């Protein structure tokens, strides 16, 4: 079970999480949060502190154990959401219209507590741990890419990440090798027709009829072009054309999102979608514009790190604490720290569901709550991973 060291930190861990919960800040505006974390990290004596972006920060702790050194990153996001909290808690949000409704307050508190433990246990690891307190996960293009461009991942051999989840029972770990979360991409299609009099369609190229064909044809991408075991979603969420009942418009725009797992599925959907749009507009004698914006990429968990995580969780808490989970369709910007497979990573879902304390509501909901009992599991797990990966016996992990 838990190390006494970890249990001794529990009260401070919960206090820290409540302090962050009370003062949530929106993406790219986490100024007070960054200040708070920075002063706590300075006080505990980390080796290096830096702020590569306006908000968010990096803390480095160097181990003193002899051996082969490696560098491990641990990422924790710190931003909140534009939601009015509707929980009756003594530490509920004091910032109107802003709420930690996804548990990022917990992620930051877990990473901060991990830092404190690592500072006290430098003799037990060889190399460095870089704690990446990342801003703006909730607002694409997100803070991760900004930190990476500023060099935050340089020299790291692997990066770990953690996210609380009210889907899984408290204190259990949702684990999956390979794709864990979805690519969250956006597409914009414009059908370029020829407008005119509604009574004389033969003199026009009607973009609405062509757009309707595209809408239906795109449904076949998932149902007919992808394997049934390959999860994907294509949703057209906006369709706009025309401004009068008796005028055939010039153009129609279709905007939507695709969700799928891994880089191959993403490339496939992108190419096939454009092929369908090209073919249908060509058949209609219309033109088209097509744009695709990559959103957050899939979290791709490394096999070896996943296996190690399972072993450590089993050894520490018992095999029943490991849940082998299916992929999750929401997105997450943590994978930018892995730079397209340049380094391996492992991202874990830490369960916090417990109906008895109300932590069974969905994320991004005004009634979202966590079970604070799960926090120490997160700390112990990350500590176990860090000490094992930096035990000084491996070549670059
Ligand atoms: Ni989140």
């Amino acid at each position: 079970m838990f190390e006494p060291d970890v249990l001794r930190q529990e009260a401070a861990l919960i206090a820290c999480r409540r302090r962050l919960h009370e003062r949530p800040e929106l993406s790219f505006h986490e100024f007070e949060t960054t200040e708070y974390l920075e002063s706590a990290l300075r006080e505990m004596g980390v080796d290096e502190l830096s702020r590569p972006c306006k908000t968010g920060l990096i803390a480095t702790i160097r181990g003193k154990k002899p051996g082969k050194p490696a560098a491990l990153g641990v990422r924790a996001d710190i931003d909140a959401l534009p939601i009015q909290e509707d929980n009756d808690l003594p530490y509920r949000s004091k910032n109107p219209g802003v709420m930690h409704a996804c548990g990022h307050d917990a992620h930051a508190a877990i990473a901060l507590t991990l830092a404190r433990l690592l500072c006290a246990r430098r003799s037990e690891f060889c190399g460095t741990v870089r704690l990446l307190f990342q801003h703006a996960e909730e607002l694409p293009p997100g803070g991760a890419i900004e930190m990476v461009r500023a060099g935050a991942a340089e020299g790291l051999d692997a990066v770990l990440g953690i996210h609380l989840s009210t889907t899984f029972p408290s204190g259990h770990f949702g684990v999956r090798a390979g794709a864990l979360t979805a690519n969250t991409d956006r597409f914009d299609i414009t059908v370029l027709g020829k407008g005119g009099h509604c009574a004389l369609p033969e003199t026009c190229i009607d973009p609405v009829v062509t757009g309707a064909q595209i809408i239906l044809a795109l449904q076949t991408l998932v149902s007919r072009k992808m394997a049934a075991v390959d999860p994907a979603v294509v949703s057209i969420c906006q369709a706009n054309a025309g401004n009068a009942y008796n005028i055939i418009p010039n153009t129609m725009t279709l905007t939507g999102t695709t969700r799928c797992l891994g880089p191959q599925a993403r490339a496939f959907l992108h190419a096939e979608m454009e092929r369908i749009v090209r073919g249908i507009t060509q058949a209609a004698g219309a033109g088209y514009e097509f744009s695709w914006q990559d959103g957050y990429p899939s979290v791709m968990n490394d096999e070896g790190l996943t296996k190690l995580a399972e072993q450590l969780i089993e050894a520490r808490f018992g095999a029943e604490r490991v849940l082998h989970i299916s992929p999750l369709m929401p997105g997450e910007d943590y994978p930018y720290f892995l730079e397209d497979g340049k380094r391996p990573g492992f991202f874990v879902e830490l369960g916090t569901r417990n109906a008895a304390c109300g932590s069974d509501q969905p994320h991004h909901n005004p009634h979202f709550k966590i079970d604070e009992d799960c926090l120490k599991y997160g700390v112990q797990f990350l500590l176990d991973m860090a000490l094992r990966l930096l035990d000084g016996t491996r070549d670059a992990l």
Side-chain angles (χ1 to χ4, degrees), residues 220-280:
T220 64
L221 275 174
V222 174
S223 68
R224 302 291 84 181
K225 297 276 185 185
M226 297 196 60
V229 291
D230 233 348
V233 177
V234 175
S235 287
I236 295 150
C237 302
Q238 286 175 282
N240 291 304
N243 53 15
Y245 90 100
N246 57 356
I247 301 169
I248 291 174
N250 279 312
T251 62
M252 179 171 196
T253 59
L254 305 171
T255 298
T257 182
T258 61
R259 303 289 163 111
C260 61
L261 303 178
Q264 284 99 348
R266 166 189 262 178
F268 176 80
L269 281 178
H270 181 176
E272 281 296 298
M273 185 176 286
E274 180 155 18
R275 203 168 68 84
I276 287 172
V277 172
R278 191 190 315 125
I280 290 177

Side-chain angles (χ1 to χ4, degrees), residues 77 102 104 137-138 163:
D77 44 12
C102 197
H104 299 189
E137 189 278 331
E138 300 284 5
H163 204 297

Side-chain angles (χ1 to χ4, degrees), residues 38-46 49:
E38 186 172 1
S39 77
L41 289 158
R42 177 163 294 129
E43 206 170 295
M44 66 180 76
V46 300
L49 275 169

